[in-house]
Structures are given as C-alpha cells and as structure tokens.
C-alpha cells in the first residue's frame, strides 16, 4: 500500500508556485477549492513539507498538475483488480465503455465489503445473523410527509378509535409507491421514517442490488453510516467525506484515489448515507455541512440518505424528502411468511403453516389494536417472535406493549451502539415511563386522541415541576425544556408523533391506552395519589374505555378490587333484573357486563 503522506520536490514546488501565481489565487481560496478547513496544508505543500496524500492529489488537480511530476519520490501506483489483471487508472479514457469497465471492476473488488456491510442483518433478540435476502421485503414510500399537512382541528373530533392510527394518511396512502420506484424517480432522496420502520435495511438492500447489477447498473454503491464518519472526524478533524470513502476503498484493496475521483466526476457513484439523525449534537452542524458540500460538489452522482422523521432539522439542497409507509396487509403477510420460514429452516412447510395461523389470528376482532401496532418491521418482528414462542397472541397484551416500550425507550439505540444527546436531562427509564403515562391519562380523560403542541408542552412542564430535584422555576426555561423533551420523545422513540402541523398524538392508539392504564395502576399502588380505580369505573358506560379496563386488570396484582367496584357501579346505574328490553340504557349495561365477564375469566 502507498504511503499515506506525500511532499513536493524542489522542482515541483517551483512549477506549482508558477501556476498558482498565474491563476491569481490566494492560499485561502485554494484551501476552499481543495476542501480543507484551514490554509495550513496549502502552506505546508508550498514549503515542501509532507501532507496527507489525498490533499496533495487535490492541490495538484486544482493547479492542473500531474501529482507524479510534483511529488518527491512518487510511489508507483496501480489498481489490482484480480491476482492476474491490473488496470492503470491514468490510462483510462473518458469513454462510456472505459467507465463501464471501471464500474464493473470496482464492483467486483468491493463485493466482499458490500456483502459484509449490508448482506447480513442482526435482528433484535435473535442470537444469530440473518441474510437480508431471507427476510427483506420491499418498503412503500409516501411522496408527502404527513406531519407537514395543515389540518383543521375540527376534523379531529370526528375521528373514531378505529381511525386514529391512520388519521391524516388517507389520500397520502393512495399515492404510495415502492421504495425502488422512489429511488428511480429522484436522484437525490432522503427517506424519513419512525424508529424501526426499515430505513437502514432499505439502504442496505439497495447497496446489494446495485453491486449485483440489478439496480443502478452503471453505478458503484457506497454505503456509509454517518455516525462512523462522525467518529472518524472526531478522531481526526482533517478527515473529510472524500478521504473517509477513500479509506473504505483502501480496505477493499483499491488504493488509488483517482479511482474514486474518476467515478465521482463521471456521476458513477450511488452514495447511501444512513442515519442522519444519529450524529451527536456537538458535531451535527459540521457533519451535515460536509454532506451538503460533498453532494453539491459531486452533484452528478445519485444520493439516498435516511433520517428519522422528527429529526429532519436541516434541508439538503436538491434532495426530495419522502416517508416510509405503514405496512399493508400484503406486506405483513409476506414478512410473516419469510420470518417463520427463516426460523423453521428444517421445515419450510411448518414455517408457512405458522405464518398462515399468525395471519388468521391477527384477523380476529379482539386483535385489531394489535394489528394496527405491527405495521413497522420492528414491531412485526417482535410479534412474530412472541407468536412463535407461544403459538398464539397473548390474551393480556400489556406484556407485549411493555416489551415494545423497553425496546424503544432503552434497548433499540443501545443495541446498535448509538449514544444520543441527553435532552431528557438525565431522565431514567422509569421517569420516561412516568412522563408518558401522565400525558396519556391527562389527555385520554379529556377524550383527546390528538392534542395541540402547546397542550402537550404544558403537560411536560407540569411533570418537570413535580420532580423533587428539579430546581428551575423560570417559566420560560421550563417552556424551552418542555419543547426539547417533546422533540426528543418524538425523534428518539417515535412514541409521540406530529400528525399534522402543530397537532400531536401517540404513535398508536394501543400505546395511548397502555400508558393510560399504566398510570392508573401506578396511582392505585400509591393511594396518596388518589383513588384511581374509582375514577376508572366512573367511565364504565363509555365504550372508548373498554380497553383501558382490560389493560388495567391485566397489570394489577389482583383484579378482584376492580371487578367489585365495577359491580357496584353497574348497580348504581340500575338494577339489571328490572330492566326492560326497550330501555335505551340496556346496551351500555350489556357492555359493562361483557367487560366484567372478561375480567373475571
């Protein structure tokens, strides 16, 4: 491998200075053209000192010089494609055939790297890696971002519980396209989505398909995780994105920087940038500005980036934002078939039978909330795993919701080595759960599935002030802290989502109900907080509270006290034995009886 630094010879310095002066440039201008942050590397170049070799190449290119004629003892470089075949990049002509040949050769050399980076998935709570081909299904893309809509608040009052999870998506869902269609439609694309919605897996699939020549047939795929680049930059602030990619190529046995340069200048790179939301707050401006600069400089190439929907703080010039769509029933079926076959490898027919039973039970009326929840790959994977262990869905679904919350609030980022900013001001997992539970109960009691931004910020502010060690008293500071915490919950966990501009809800009705029940149970365990079960049974004739009763009962140590309070509440309405069939209250009382019967089982 060639040495990592180069220095100019005496004759090379003389020639470089002549061309530099003839152009009328300053060292600051040349530094900007080269893409370095200070003029120190330029000064060192003209002083004959050793500098990073890629910077040396760039300086020579900007001055229209052949670096080999300028460098002191230049290394003899060529690119080895196979053990028996070499190709000198300097001799490549700028014809389509030559470029196509180069693309094929680079793909061949990088095949092992791409397969290692993108071909294997490590599913959460699964002890072995899984081939992406065995589990991946096509994602669908929404051309419009739901949270950017303007909706009348009056429309929210007409939403039924069954429609909560897909509110605001009606017409948007009708125009969804496949992920492949979106990439073919837009040359610069940023894919947004909730945590666990399959964004990273989609990028990896694109890389594999491109390298196999099944997609973007004239391009070379490069997959980078932005947090890895940020870590490289932290270790060496002089590393730019081009040098980072160059190091990726060196790891694949391609040492000549001219390879990357020629591909980039010819528009032959498919750059896949994963995790724009995963860069620390301290570095995000610098890193994202570097992405902007790189994409502007090499605009002829194709770019696809991913980012969580709520973290789209910075716009990227020329990029189109799209959003991953919830899984359709057909996608859930396909995923389940692949999942159960993959984990029943000794018997494919048994895997398909398990998938069929999985889908059949999803269609049962008592599982409709469960079905609404598993429209992302992450939750669907958890549901398949749970079903495989028990051969059924749990009668008490609170345990599944608890697993989902533990995953989103604590384990999901940790399992992938991501450390996010502590916007929660050091909140522990129990404190996060308490905050979400308080918001859930306060809004559910008001019949609010949707709430304005200032309402939820007020709930967060009230919670902050209730903490014994929270010493901030200034109302504006509390307000700003509430805004930051709301955005953190939205971007890091996706549990509170902006359904339209300024209008929020829990991401799923099932989770709103789960957190509401959780707050009721927590308050019951601490009687000083009030008689929460008595408040609950006051809603016994309201059908919207049916699921809250069931979830609360499943989380209590014993449901006997709750069922007794329900019996007393029913008797207060009217003696059931004396009801006549025409009494309009009968349907309500029958609902009460059905809930009580379910709890006593």
């Amino acid at each position: 491998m060639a040495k990592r630094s180069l220095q100019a010879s005496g004759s090379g310095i003389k020639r470089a200075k002549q061309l530099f002066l003839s152009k009328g440039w300053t060292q600051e201008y040349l530094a900007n053209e080269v893409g370095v942050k200070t003029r120190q590397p330029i000064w060192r170049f003209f002083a004959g000192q050793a500098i990073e070799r890629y910077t040396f190449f760039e300086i020579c290119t900007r001055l229209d010089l052949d670096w080999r004629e300028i460098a002191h003892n230049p290394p003899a470089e060529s690119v080895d494609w196979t053990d028996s075949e070499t190709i000198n990049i300097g001799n490549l002509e700028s014809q389509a055939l030559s470029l196509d040949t180069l693309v094929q050769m680079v793909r061949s050399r990088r095949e092992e790297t791409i397969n290692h980076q993108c071909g294997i998935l490590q599913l959460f709570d699964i002890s072995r890696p899984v081939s992406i081909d065995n589990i991946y299904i096509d994602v669908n893309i929404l051309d419009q971002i739901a949270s950017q809509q303007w909706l009348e608040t009056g429309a929210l009052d007409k939403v039924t519980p069954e429609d909560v999870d897909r509110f605001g998506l009606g017409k948007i869902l009708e125009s969804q396209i496949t992920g492949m269609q979106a990439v073919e439609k837009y040359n610069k694309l940023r894919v947004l989505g909730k945590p666990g919605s399959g964004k990273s897996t989609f990028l990896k699939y694109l890389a594999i398909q491109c390298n196999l020549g099944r997609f973007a047939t004239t391009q070379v795929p490069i997959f980078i995780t932005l947090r890895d680049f940020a870590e490289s930059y932290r270790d060496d602030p002089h590393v730019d994105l081009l040098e980072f990619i160059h190091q990726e190529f060196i790891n694949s046995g391609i040492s000549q920087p001219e390879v990357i340069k020629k591909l980039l200048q010819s528009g032959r790179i498919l750059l896949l940038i994963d995790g724009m939301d995963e860069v620390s707050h301290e570095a995000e401006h610098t890193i994202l500005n570097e992405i902007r600069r790189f994409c502007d400089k090499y605009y002829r190439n194709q770019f696809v980036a991913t980012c969580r929907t709520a973290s789209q703080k910075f716009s990227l010039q020329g990029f189109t934002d799209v959003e991953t769509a919830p899984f359709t029933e057909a996608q859930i079926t396909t995923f389940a078939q692949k999942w159960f076959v993959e984990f029943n490898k000794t018997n494919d027919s048994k895997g398909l039978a398990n998938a069929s039973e999985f889908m059949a039970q999803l269609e049962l009326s008592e599982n409709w909330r469960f079905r609404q929840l598993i429209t992302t790959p992450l939750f669907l994977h958890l549901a398949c795993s749970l079903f495989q262990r028990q051969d059924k869905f749990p009668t008490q679904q609170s345990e599944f919701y608890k697993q989902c919350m533990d995953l989103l609030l604590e384990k999901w980022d940790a399992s992938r080595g991501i450390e996010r900013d502590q916007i929660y001001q050091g909140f522990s997992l129990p404190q996060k759960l308490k905050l979400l539970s308080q918001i859930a109960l306060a809004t559910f009691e008001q019949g609010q599935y949707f709430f304005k931004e200032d309402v939820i910020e007020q709930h967060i502010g009230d919670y902050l002030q209730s903490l014994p060690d929270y010493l901030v008293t200034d109302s504006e500071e509390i307000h700003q802290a509430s805004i930051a915490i709301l955005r953190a919950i939205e971007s890091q966990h996706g549990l509170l989502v902006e359904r339209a501009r300024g209008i929020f809800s829990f991401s799923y009705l099932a989770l709103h109900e789960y957190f509401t029940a959780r707050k009721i149970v927590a308050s019951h365990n601490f009687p000083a907080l009030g008689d929460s079960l008595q408040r609950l049974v006051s809603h016994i004739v309201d059908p919207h509270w049916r699921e809250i009763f069931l979830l609360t009962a499943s989380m209590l140590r014993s449901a006997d006290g709750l069922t007794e309070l329900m019996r007393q509440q029913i008797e207060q309405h009217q003696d059931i034995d004396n009801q006549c069939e025409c009494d309009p209250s009968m349907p309500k009382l029958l609902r009460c009886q059905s809930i009580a019967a379910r709890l006593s089982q």
Side-chain angles (χ1 to χ4, degrees):
M1 183 181 295
K3 58 184 179 180
R4 293 182 56 83
S5 61
L6 291 173
Q7 63 188 94
S9 64
S11 59
I13 293 172
K14 184 177 179 180
R15 187 176 174 190
K17 284 184 176 180
Q18 289 173 345
L19 282 173
F20 177 71
L21 292 172
S22 69
K23 290 179 179 291
W25 291 350
T26 64
Q27 289 191 5
E28 287 81 0
Y29 181 86
L30 181 55
N32 184 63
E33 284 292 296
V34 171
V36 293
K37 297 175 177 59
T38 70
R39 66 183 182 90
Q40 184 180 24
I42 309 299
W43 177 85
R44 293 176 62 191
F45 172 85
F46 286 120
Q49 297 181 14
I51 63 172
E52 194 279 324
R53 66 175 167 175
Y54 187 79
T55 302
F56 189 96
F57 297 145
E58 281 290 294
I59 293 173
C60 292
T61 298
R62 298 302 169 187
L63 295 175
D64 300 320
L65 296 168
D66 185 335
W67 68 270
R68 296 174 185 81
E69 298 175 359
I70 303 302
H72 175 66
N73 293 330
E77 292 208 33
S78 63
V79 179
D80 295 327
W81 302 111
T82 67
D83 291 339
S84 60
E85 182 181 10
T86 62
I87 183 168
N88 191 321
I89 301 304
N91 294 330
L92 275 175
E93 298 179 358
S94 58
Q95 299 176 357
L97 180 61
S98 299
L99 284 171
D100 288 341
T101 301
L102 179 60
V103 166
Q104 294 302 322
M105 289 181 171
V106 173
R107 281 180 176 174
S108 176
R109 178 51 66 92
R110 283 182 48 79
E111 181 178 2
E112 184 177 343
T113 298
I114 291 295
N115 287 338
H116 174 73
Q117 286 181 320
C118 305
I120 299 297
L121 302 178
Q122 195 70 52
L123 300 180
F124 181 80
D125 208 24
I126 297 294
S127 59
R128 64 175 177 84
V130 178
S131 170
I132 192 171
D133 290 334
N134 294 345
I135 202 73
Y136 178 79
I137 66 169
D138 291 336
V139 298
N140 286 344
I141 296 295
L142 305 175
D143 269 345
Q144 301 178 55
I145 311 302
S147 61
Q148 295 178 359
Q149 299 179 95
W150 290 100
L151 296 176
E152 294 291 334
T153 54
L156 305 178
D157 299 331
K158 303 175 183 178
V159 179
T160 64
E162 293 78 7
D163 297 328
V164 167
D165 291 333
R166 297 208 171 197
F167 177 76
L169 293 177
K171 292 184 178 180
I172 296 178
L173 286 173
E174 294 174 4
S175 61
Q176 61 184 306
I177 58 177
T178 68
M180 281 294 190
Q181 289 173 328
V183 176
E184 291 169 353
K185 183 177 181 180
Y186 303 109
N187 197 52
K188 291 183 177 180
L189 187 70
R190 182 164 65 170
V191 181
L192 308 176
K194 297 177 183 177
S197 62
K199 304 180 297 297
S200 297
T201 306
F202 174 56
L203 280 200
K204 292 180 178 181
Y205 179 75
L206 291 179
I208 294 290
Q209 294 301 301
C210 178
N211 210 60
L212 291 173
R214 300 171 183 170
F215 161 74
T217 56
T218 63
Q219 295 173 316
V220 172
I222 299 174
F223 177 91
I224 65 170
T225 302
L226 206 55
R227 69 175 182 275
D228 290 341
F229 171 56
E231 289 175 4
S232 295
Y233 177 82
R234 182 188 60 194
D235 295 339
D236 182 1
H238 294 98
V239 173
D240 60 12
L241 187 56
L242 193 56
E243 172 62 18
F244 181 77
I245 294 173
H246 182 213
Q247 292 303 315
E248 286 281 313
F249 272 48
I250 290 176
N251 293 337
S252 300
I254 305 172
S255 60
Q256 271 189 308
E258 286 94 333
V259 176
I260 306 171
K261 187 171 183 179
K262 189 169 187 67
L263 291 171
L264 284 168
Q265 290 175 341
S266 305
R268 293 304 188 94
I269 293 294
L270 170 65
L271 184 59
L272 305 165
I273 306 170
D274 188 37
M276 291 185 65
D277 56 288
E278 296 174 0
V279 181
S280 67
H281 179 71
E282 293 78 8
E284 63 183 358
H285 286 279
T286 301
I287 297 301
L288 293 177
N289 280 333
E290 172 63 13
I291 296 295
R292 286 195 190 104
R293 187 195 67 81
F294 186 90
C295 294
D296 288 342
K297 184 175 182 179
Y298 299 108
Y299 62 90
R300 297 179 65 188
N301 299 276
Q302 185 165 10
F303 305 90
V304 185
T306 65
C307 184
R308 292 187 179 179
T309 303
S311 300
Q312 49 178 322
K313 302 175 184 177
F314 302 97
S315 61
L316 292 174
Q317 179 67 28
F319 275 70
T320 297
D321 282 349
V322 297
E323 189 170 16
T324 56
F327 272 0
T328 63
E329 185 174 350
Q331 288 173 308
I332 292 174
T333 300
T334 302
F335 183 96
Q337 290 172 343
K338 287 195 169 189
W339 197 98
F340 285 104
V341 167
E342 172 67 19
F343 295 103
N344 284 279
K345 278 200 166 183
T346 57
N347 192 334
D348 286 359
S349 60
K350 185 178 188 305
L352 291 173
N354 287 348
S356 179
E357 180 62 24
F358 175 86
M359 293 304 301
Q361 291 201 28
L362 269 186
E363 293 301 316
L364 298 177
S365 59
E366 61 263 29
N367 288 326
W368 76 266
R369 281 175 173 80
F370 207 76
R371 187 167 64 251
Q372 296 287 84
L373 182 64
I374 59 173
T375 56
T376 62
L378 178 60
F379 285 168
L380 182 52
H381 160 65
L382 287 179
C384 290
S385 180
L386 177 65
F387 189 87
Q388 186 186 48
R389 292 196 301 268
Q390 302 181 0
D391 289 326
K392 63 178 182 178
F393 292 119
T395 303
Q396 299 177 348
Q397 296 180 359
S398 59
E399 182 58 33
F400 178 74
Y401 300 150
K402 181 180 183 300
Q403 290 183 30
C404 291
M405 294 309 96
D406 288 347
L407 177 58
L408 282 182
L409 290 171
E410 188 173 45
K411 298 177 182 177
W412 181 236
D413 283 343
S415 68
R416 296 177 299 144
I418 300 173
E419 296 183 6
R420 297 188 185 272
D421 300 308
Q422 295 299 314
I423 304 178
Y424 280 101
Q425 301 176 358
F427 275 23
S428 64
L429 176 60
Q431 286 176 319
K432 294 176 184 179
L433 291 170
K434 287 178 183 178
L435 171 58
L436 290 164
S437 299
Q438 182 164 312
I439 294 170
L441 179 60
T443 51
F444 204 90
E445 282 188 321
Q446 297 297 319
Q448 298 174 340
Y449 299 122
F450 304 95
F451 21 84
K452 292 184 178 180
E453 186 171 356
D454 57 348
V455 172
I456 195 168
E457 288 168 1
Q458 182 61 54
H459 287 307
I460 294 173
D462 292 344
Y463 179 79
L464 290 176
Q465 294 179 82
S466 71
L467 296 175
D469 56 347
Y470 192 77
L471 304 178
V472 178
T473 58
D474 181 77
S475 59
E476 183 57 32
E477 288 187 36
I478 294 172
H479 176 64
Q480 293 302 319
S482 301
I483 293 174
I485 290 172
L486 171 58
R487 293 303 175 183
I489 295 172
E490 183 188 15
S491 64
Q492 294 183 23
H493 314 310
L495 294 176
L496 293 172
V497 296
E498 192 171 15
R499 294 301 187 95
R501 292 184 185 272
I503 298 175
F504 283 78
S505 77
F506 279 85
S507 52
Y508 300 95
L509 174 60
L511 300 184
H512 195 170
E513 293 170 332
Y514 167 74
F515 279 116
T516 299
R518 194 181 183 285
K519 176 63 175 177
I520 291 170
V521 173
S523 298
H524 173 67
N525 292 334
F526 294 93
L529 299 177
D531 195 341
S532 60
L533 295 188
Q534 190 65 59
R535 290 171 60 187
L536 173 61
V537 297
S538 68
H539 299 285
I540 196 167
V541 296
D542 187 340
H544 297 158
W545 283 76
R546 180 179 186 275
E547 195 68 17
I548 307 298
F549 279 90
L550 298 175
L551 287 168
T552 300
S554 70
M555 288 188 278
L556 288 169
R557 296 188 184 91
S558 170
D560 292 345
L562 176 58
T563 53
E564 175 60 23
L565 288 173
M566 290 174 62
R567 185 189 63 78
Q568 295 174 8
Q569 189 73 10
I570 293 171
E571 290 178 351
Q572 287 179 12
H573 277 276
Q574 198 167 8
D575 183 4
I576 297 178
D577 293 335
N578 295 330
Q579 293 295 319
C580 68
E581 294 182 0
C582 61
D583 192 325
S585 67
M586 180 61 76
K588 294 181 180 179
L589 293 172
L590 288 176
R591 283 196 295 268
C592 298
Q593 286 182 296
S594 71
I595 297 174
R598 176 85 176 270
L599 297 184
S600 63
Q601 292 176 351

